[in-house]
């Protein structure tokens, strides 16, 4: 149970930070095209680089502990959420923006009532991908002596089949549970969307 708690905490912390950064960066990239052009190649590089190969670098840079694990998870969550946010903002019809200008809506009203509302469907779809990626990132981590990743590595190296199967099953359950949490939040926030009718 201590290993499950450790991995769950890492997944939630990394996912929340990664999703927040993805939303903020996605919004900024849509508003500032020059920044998108400058930074997007680096983000694509970070996303396509094999994460298992980056683990030693994260250990060197951040040490063997919570910080390096969370950074790895953030790197796996950020890009899908950023892409979802950008897609959502780009899907806003020009007529809606023009209507808000005619109504003299404030920047906050445009952000909260138009931009975020239109972004939510794509954003939740990307967060579902992100939460699964977060679990994978937490499991891929092999250093330290806490977490489900450690259990899987230890069981595999000692040929402890029952422990290995138990670790795999618990990991799958964690992935399903966290995915369902995002689905429940999606139903709550997107009750008005046509996909929920």
């Amino acid at each position: 149970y201590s290993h499950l708690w450790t991995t769950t905490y890492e997944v939630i912390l990394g996912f929340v930070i990664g999703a927040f950064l993805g939303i903020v960066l996605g919004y900024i990239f849509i508003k500032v095209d020059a920044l998108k052009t400058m930074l997007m190649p680096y983000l694509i590089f970070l996303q396509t680089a094999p994460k298992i190969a980056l683990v030693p670098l994260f250990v060197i840079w951040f040490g063997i502990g919570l910080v390096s694990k969370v950074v790895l998870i953030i790197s796996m969550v950020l890009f899908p959420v950023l892409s979802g946010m950008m897609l959502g903002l780009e899907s806003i019809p020009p007529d809606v923006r023009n209507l808000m200008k005619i109504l003299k809506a404030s920047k906050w009203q445009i952000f909260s009532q138009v931009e975020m509302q239109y972004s939510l469907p794509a954003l939740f779809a990307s967060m579902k991908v992100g939460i699964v990626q977060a679990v994978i990132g937490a499991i891929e981590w092999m250093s330290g002596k806490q977490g489900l990743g450690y259990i899987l590595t230890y069981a595999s190296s000692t040929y402890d089949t029952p422990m290995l199967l138990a670790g795999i099953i618990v990991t799958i359950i964690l992935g399903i549970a966290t995915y369902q949490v995002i689905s429940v939040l999606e139903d709550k926030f997107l009750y008005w969307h046509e996909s929920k009718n």
Side-chain angles (χ1 to χ4, degrees), residues 116-152:
M116 280 309 297
Q117 293 298 321
Y118 269 90
S119 298
L120 284 178
L123 199 52
F124 272 109
S126 65
M127 284 197 289
K128 285 179 176 179
V129 174
I131 195 66
V132 174
Q133 290 285 87
V135 174
I136 293 170
I139 298 306
E140 278 188 355
W141 191 266
M142 295 180 186
S143 18
K145 291 191 175 180
Q146 277 294 321
L148 294 175
Y150 166 74
I151 288 288
L152 294 173

Short mmCIF file of all heavy atoms in Angstrom, two decimals, residues 116-152:
data_model
loop_
_atom_site.label_atom_id
_atom_site.label_comp_id
_atom_site.label_asym_id
_atom_site.label_seq_id
_atom_site.Cartn_x
_atom_site.Cartn_y
_atom_site.Cartn_z
N MET A 116 -12.39 29.37 -22.67
CA MET A 116 -12.30 28.16 -21.85
C MET A 116 -13.44 27.19 -22.16
O MET A 116 -13.24 25.97 -22.20
CB MET A 116 -12.29 28.50 -20.36
CG MET A 116 -10.94 28.96 -19.84
SD MET A 116 -9.54 27.87 -20.22
CE MET A 116 -9.98 26.38 -19.36
N GLN A 117 -14.63 27.70 -22.38
CA GLN A 117 -15.78 26.84 -22.66
C GLN A 117 -15.58 26.07 -23.97
O GLN A 117 -15.86 24.88 -24.05
CB GLN A 117 -17.07 27.67 -22.73
CG GLN A 117 -17.48 28.28 -21.40
CD GLN A 117 -17.78 27.24 -20.35
OE1 GLN A 117 -18.37 26.21 -20.63
NE2 GLN A 117 -17.37 27.50 -19.12
N TYR A 118 -15.09 26.76 -25.00
CA TYR A 118 -14.84 26.09 -26.27
C TYR A 118 -13.65 25.13 -26.20
O TYR A 118 -13.57 24.18 -26.97
CB TYR A 118 -14.61 27.13 -27.38
CG TYR A 118 -15.87 27.53 -28.09
CD1 TYR A 118 -16.63 28.61 -27.64
CD2 TYR A 118 -16.34 26.84 -29.21
CE1 TYR A 118 -17.80 28.99 -28.27
CE2 TYR A 118 -17.51 27.21 -29.86
CZ TYR A 118 -18.24 28.29 -29.39
OH TYR A 118 -19.39 28.66 -30.02
N SER A 119 -12.73 25.41 -25.28
CA SER A 119 -11.53 24.57 -25.15
C SER A 119 -11.78 23.29 -24.37
O SER A 119 -11.04 22.32 -24.53
CB SER A 119 -10.42 25.37 -24.46
OG SER A 119 -10.05 26.48 -25.22
N LEU A 120 -12.81 23.27 -23.52
CA LEU A 120 -13.01 22.14 -22.61
C LEU A 120 -13.12 20.77 -23.29
O LEU A 120 -12.50 19.80 -22.81
CB LEU A 120 -14.22 22.40 -21.71
CG LEU A 120 -14.01 23.40 -20.57
CD1 LEU A 120 -15.30 23.59 -19.79
CD2 LEU A 120 -12.89 22.95 -19.64
N PRO A 121 -13.89 20.60 -24.38
CA PRO A 121 -13.98 19.26 -24.98
C PRO A 121 -12.62 18.70 -25.41
O PRO A 121 -12.26 17.58 -25.05
CB PRO A 121 -14.90 19.47 -26.19
CG PRO A 121 -15.73 20.65 -25.81
CD PRO A 121 -14.83 21.54 -25.04
N ALA A 122 -11.84 19.50 -26.15
CA ALA A 122 -10.51 19.04 -26.58
C ALA A 122 -9.56 18.91 -25.39
O ALA A 122 -8.72 18.02 -25.35
CB ALA A 122 -9.93 20.01 -27.61
N LEU A 123 -9.74 19.80 -24.41
CA LEU A 123 -8.87 19.79 -23.23
C LEU A 123 -9.07 18.52 -22.41
O LEU A 123 -8.10 17.89 -21.98
CB LEU A 123 -9.16 21.03 -22.38
CG LEU A 123 -8.10 21.47 -21.38
CD1 LEU A 123 -6.74 21.60 -22.04
CD2 LEU A 123 -8.52 22.78 -20.74
N PHE A 124 -10.31 18.12 -22.20
CA PHE A 124 -10.57 16.91 -21.43
C PHE A 124 -10.10 15.66 -22.19
O PHE A 124 -9.60 14.72 -21.58
CB PHE A 124 -12.05 16.80 -21.06
CG PHE A 124 -12.38 17.48 -19.77
CD1 PHE A 124 -13.11 18.65 -19.75
CD2 PHE A 124 -11.94 16.96 -18.56
CE1 PHE A 124 -13.40 19.30 -18.55
CE2 PHE A 124 -12.23 17.58 -17.36
CZ PHE A 124 -12.96 18.75 -17.35
N ALA A 125 -10.26 15.67 -23.51
CA ALA A 125 -9.76 14.54 -24.30
C ALA A 125 -8.25 14.41 -24.15
O ALA A 125 -7.72 13.31 -23.99
CB ALA A 125 -10.13 14.73 -25.78
N SER A 126 -7.56 15.55 -24.17
CA SER A 126 -6.10 15.52 -24.03
C SER A 126 -5.68 15.17 -22.60
O SER A 126 -4.65 14.53 -22.38
CB SER A 126 -5.49 16.86 -24.45
OG SER A 126 -5.90 17.90 -23.58
N MET A 127 -6.49 15.57 -21.62
CA MET A 127 -6.16 15.24 -20.23
C MET A 127 -6.33 13.75 -19.95
O MET A 127 -5.63 13.18 -19.12
CB MET A 127 -6.99 16.08 -19.26
CG MET A 127 -6.52 17.51 -19.15
SD MET A 127 -7.13 18.41 -17.71
CE MET A 127 -8.84 18.62 -18.14
N LYS A 128 -7.25 13.11 -20.67
CA LYS A 128 -7.39 11.64 -20.54
C LYS A 128 -6.12 10.95 -21.03
O LYS A 128 -5.66 9.98 -20.42
CB LYS A 128 -8.61 11.16 -21.33
CG LYS A 128 -9.93 11.48 -20.67
CD LYS A 128 -11.08 10.98 -21.53
CE LYS A 128 -12.43 11.21 -20.85
NZ LYS A 128 -13.55 10.76 -21.70
N VAL A 129 -5.58 11.45 -22.13
CA VAL A 129 -4.30 10.92 -22.62
C VAL A 129 -3.20 11.23 -21.60
O VAL A 129 -2.37 10.38 -21.28
CB VAL A 129 -3.94 11.51 -24.00
CG1 VAL A 129 -2.55 11.07 -24.44
CG2 VAL A 129 -4.98 11.14 -25.03
N GLY A 130 -3.23 12.46 -21.08
CA GLY A 130 -2.21 12.91 -20.13
C GLY A 130 -2.17 12.10 -18.85
O GLY A 130 -1.08 11.79 -18.34
N ILE A 131 -3.33 11.72 -18.31
CA ILE A 131 -3.35 10.99 -17.04
C ILE A 131 -2.80 9.58 -17.23
O ILE A 131 -2.10 9.04 -16.35
CB ILE A 131 -4.76 10.97 -16.41
CG1 ILE A 131 -4.70 10.54 -14.93
CG2 ILE A 131 -5.71 10.08 -17.16
CD1 ILE A 131 -3.99 11.49 -14.03
N VAL A 132 -3.08 8.98 -18.39
CA VAL A 132 -2.51 7.65 -18.68
C VAL A 132 -0.99 7.77 -18.84
O VAL A 132 -0.23 6.93 -18.34
CB VAL A 132 -3.15 7.05 -19.95
CG1 VAL A 132 -2.46 5.75 -20.34
CG2 VAL A 132 -4.64 6.80 -19.71
N GLN A 133 -0.55 8.82 -19.52
CA GLN A 133 0.88 9.07 -19.67
C GLN A 133 1.55 9.28 -18.31
O GLN A 133 2.69 8.88 -18.09
CB GLN A 133 1.11 10.30 -20.56
CG GLN A 133 0.77 10.09 -22.01
CD GLN A 133 1.82 9.26 -22.71
OE1 GLN A 133 1.76 8.03 -22.71
NE2 GLN A 133 2.80 9.90 -23.31
N ALA A 134 0.83 9.95 -17.40
CA ALA A 134 1.38 10.20 -16.06
C ALA A 134 1.64 8.90 -15.32
O ALA A 134 2.67 8.73 -14.67
CB ALA A 134 0.42 11.09 -15.27
N VAL A 135 0.70 7.95 -15.43
CA VAL A 135 0.88 6.64 -14.79
C VAL A 135 2.06 5.91 -15.40
O VAL A 135 2.89 5.34 -14.69
CB VAL A 135 -0.41 5.80 -14.89
CG1 VAL A 135 -0.18 4.38 -14.35
CG2 VAL A 135 -1.55 6.47 -14.14
N ILE A 136 2.17 5.94 -16.74
CA ILE A 136 3.29 5.29 -17.43
C ILE A 136 4.61 5.92 -16.97
O ILE A 136 5.59 5.21 -16.70
CB ILE A 136 3.13 5.41 -18.95
CG1 ILE A 136 1.93 4.60 -19.43
CG2 ILE A 136 4.40 4.97 -19.68
CD1 ILE A 136 1.53 4.84 -20.86
N GLY A 137 4.63 7.24 -16.88
CA GLY A 137 5.85 7.94 -16.45
C GLY A 137 6.26 7.55 -15.05
O GLY A 137 7.45 7.36 -14.77
N ALA A 138 5.30 7.43 -14.15
CA ALA A 138 5.60 7.04 -12.77
C ALA A 138 6.13 5.61 -12.70
O ALA A 138 7.01 5.30 -11.89
CB ALA A 138 4.36 7.19 -11.90
N ILE A 139 5.62 4.73 -13.55
CA ILE A 139 6.02 3.33 -13.54
C ILE A 139 7.39 3.14 -14.20
O ILE A 139 8.18 2.28 -13.80
CB ILE A 139 4.97 2.44 -14.26
CG1 ILE A 139 3.63 2.53 -13.54
CG2 ILE A 139 5.43 1.00 -14.34
CD1 ILE A 139 3.70 2.21 -12.06
N GLU A 140 7.68 3.97 -15.22
CA GLU A 140 8.97 3.84 -15.93
C GLU A 140 10.15 4.17 -15.03
O GLU A 140 11.28 3.81 -15.32
CB GLU A 140 8.99 4.75 -17.17
CG GLU A 140 8.29 4.16 -18.36
CD GLU A 140 8.49 4.98 -19.61
OE1 GLU A 140 9.10 6.06 -19.52
OE2 GLU A 140 8.04 4.55 -20.68
N TRP A 141 9.88 4.90 -13.93
CA TRP A 141 10.97 5.31 -13.05
C TRP A 141 11.50 4.11 -12.29
O TRP A 141 10.78 3.42 -11.61
CB TRP A 141 10.45 6.37 -12.06
CG TRP A 141 11.58 7.01 -11.33
CD1 TRP A 141 12.08 6.66 -10.12
CD2 TRP A 141 12.36 8.10 -11.78
NE1 TRP A 141 13.12 7.46 -9.80
CE2 TRP A 141 13.32 8.36 -10.79
CE3 TRP A 141 12.34 8.90 -12.93
CZ2 TRP A 141 14.25 9.38 -10.91
CZ3 TRP A 141 13.26 9.91 -13.04
CH2 TRP A 141 14.20 10.15 -12.04
N MET A 142 12.80 3.88 -12.39
CA MET A 142 13.36 2.67 -11.80
C MET A 142 14.27 2.93 -10.61
O MET A 142 14.76 2.00 -9.99
CB MET A 142 14.14 1.88 -12.86
CG MET A 142 13.26 1.35 -13.96
SD MET A 142 14.16 0.45 -15.18
CE MET A 142 12.88 0.14 -16.38
N SER A 143 14.61 4.21 -10.33
CA SER A 143 15.49 4.43 -9.19
C SER A 143 14.69 4.63 -7.91
O SER A 143 13.51 4.88 -7.95
CB SER A 143 16.37 5.64 -9.41
OG SER A 143 15.94 6.46 -10.38
N GLY A 144 15.38 4.52 -6.79
CA GLY A 144 14.71 4.64 -5.50
C GLY A 144 14.12 3.32 -5.06
O GLY A 144 14.19 2.31 -5.77
N LYS A 145 13.54 3.32 -3.89
CA LYS A 145 12.99 2.07 -3.33
C LYS A 145 11.52 2.23 -2.95
O LYS A 145 11.03 1.56 -2.06
CB LYS A 145 13.81 1.64 -2.12
CG LYS A 145 15.21 1.18 -2.49
CD LYS A 145 15.92 0.52 -1.33
CE LYS A 145 17.27 -0.03 -1.76
NZ LYS A 145 17.98 -0.70 -0.65
N GLN A 146 10.84 3.15 -3.61
CA GLN A 146 9.42 3.35 -3.36
C GLN A 146 8.67 3.47 -4.68
O GLN A 146 9.21 3.99 -5.65
CB GLN A 146 9.19 4.62 -2.53
CG GLN A 146 9.37 4.45 -1.03
CD GLN A 146 8.32 3.53 -0.41
OE1 GLN A 146 7.16 3.57 -0.79
NE2 GLN A 146 8.73 2.69 0.52
N GLY A 147 7.45 3.00 -4.69
CA GLY A 147 6.61 3.13 -5.87
C GLY A 147 6.40 1.81 -6.59
O GLY A 147 7.14 0.84 -6.40
N LEU A 148 5.36 1.79 -7.41
CA LEU A 148 5.02 0.57 -8.15
C LEU A 148 6.09 0.22 -9.18
O LEU A 148 6.30 -0.95 -9.50
CB LEU A 148 3.66 0.74 -8.83
CG LEU A 148 2.46 0.88 -7.89
CD1 LEU A 148 1.19 1.16 -8.68
CD2 LEU A 148 2.30 -0.37 -7.03
N GLY A 149 6.79 1.22 -9.71
CA GLY A 149 7.88 0.97 -10.64
C GLY A 149 8.98 0.14 -9.99
O GLY A 149 9.54 -0.78 -10.61
N TYR A 150 9.28 0.48 -8.74
CA TYR A 150 10.28 -0.28 -7.98
C TYR A 150 9.82 -1.72 -7.78
O TYR A 150 10.59 -2.68 -7.93
CB TYR A 150 10.56 0.39 -6.64
CG TYR A 150 11.32 -0.50 -5.68
CD1 TYR A 150 12.68 -0.74 -5.86
CD2 TYR A 150 10.67 -1.11 -4.61
CE1 TYR A 150 13.38 -1.57 -4.99
CE2 TYR A 150 11.36 -1.94 -3.74
CZ TYR A 150 12.72 -2.17 -3.94
OH TYR A 150 13.39 -3.00 -3.08
N ILE A 151 8.53 -1.89 -7.42
CA ILE A 151 7.98 -3.23 -7.20
C ILE A 151 8.11 -4.08 -8.46
O ILE A 151 8.54 -5.24 -8.42
CB ILE A 151 6.49 -3.14 -6.79
CG1 ILE A 151 6.36 -2.60 -5.36
CG2 ILE A 151 5.79 -4.48 -6.92
CD1 ILE A 151 6.78 -3.58 -4.29
N LEU A 152 7.76 -3.49 -9.62
CA LEU A 152 7.83 -4.22 -10.89
C LEU A 152 9.28 -4.58 -11.24
O LEU A 152 9.56 -5.70 -11.68
CB LEU A 152 7.19 -3.40 -12.01
CG LEU A 152 5.68 -3.17 -11.90
CD1 LEU A 152 5.20 -2.21 -12.97
CD2 LEU A 152 4.93 -4.49 -12.00
#
